[in-house]
Amino acid sequence: PVCSGLCFSCPSRRIRAEMPPNILLLVADDIPRNMLQAYGAAHDLAPNIDKLAQDGLVFVTAYTPAPLCTPARYSLLTGRFASNASSIVAHRPWSLVGFNTFLTGKEPTMANFLRKQGYLTALVGKY
């Protein structure tokens, strides 16, 4: 796969009913499923990721709206097709989807929605 993603909900041991679960979304490029024990691998190449998966939620079926990592991440974070990204729409009629798909700050993201629900959000790594 071009883009693989894992999502874990990692509640603390003492969770109160009124507290929402913690959410950790990991997106990794070019990691085949057979590299992680969370997906059935026999080896231990990513013990920390596998430890998170043990106590959380692992998605076993996923679909991507784009064959490239950048527009796929855009769609994951915004819930929109990458062809509708403001970074591309501004350049129409030459709006080919590719590595030119990026967040401009105009599109609401999953982080915006989660902040409205009381979550603290952060982005670490590349987008």
Side-chain angles (χ1 to χ4, degrees):
V2 174
C3 234
S4 296
L6 303 172
C7 184
F8 306 102
S9 173
C10 307
S12 67
R13 298 231 184 257
R14 295 185 204 173
I15 191 162
R16 291 183 271 163
E18 68 272 6
M19 291 181 65
N22 293 324
I23 299 171
L24 172 63
L25 175 65
L26 297 176
V27 179
D29 297 346
D30 298 320
I31 296 181
R33 292 172 62 113
N34 65 355
M35 287 188 68
L36 301 171
Q37 285 183 343
Y39 291 104
H43 46 71
D44 195 17
L45 295 176
N48 293 325
I49 292 175
D50 291 325
K51 192 172 184 180
L52 284 170
Q54 257 181 342
D55 295 329
L57 176 67
V58 177
F59 293 101
V60 294
T61 303
Y63 301 93
T64 183
L68 297 170
C69 55
T70 304
R73 281 193 302 269
Y74 174 89
S75 294
L76 176 68
L77 295 174
T78 64
R80 301 177 66 195
F81 286 112
S83 57
N84 292 323
S86 61
S87 62
I88 292 178
V89 173
H91 301 290
R92 283 193 170 146
W94 306 106
S95 56
L96 298 175
V97 174
F99 297 108
N100 57 344
T101 310
F102 53 87
L103 295 172
T104 62
K106 295 178 184 176
E107 298 92 353
T109 65
M110 183 186 330
N112 298 120
F113 173 78
L114 289 171
R115 268 186 264 161
K116 288 179 184 175
Q117 304 302 313
Y119 281 89
L120 298 175
T121 63
L123 175 67
V124 178
K126 71 176 187 174
Y127 162 73

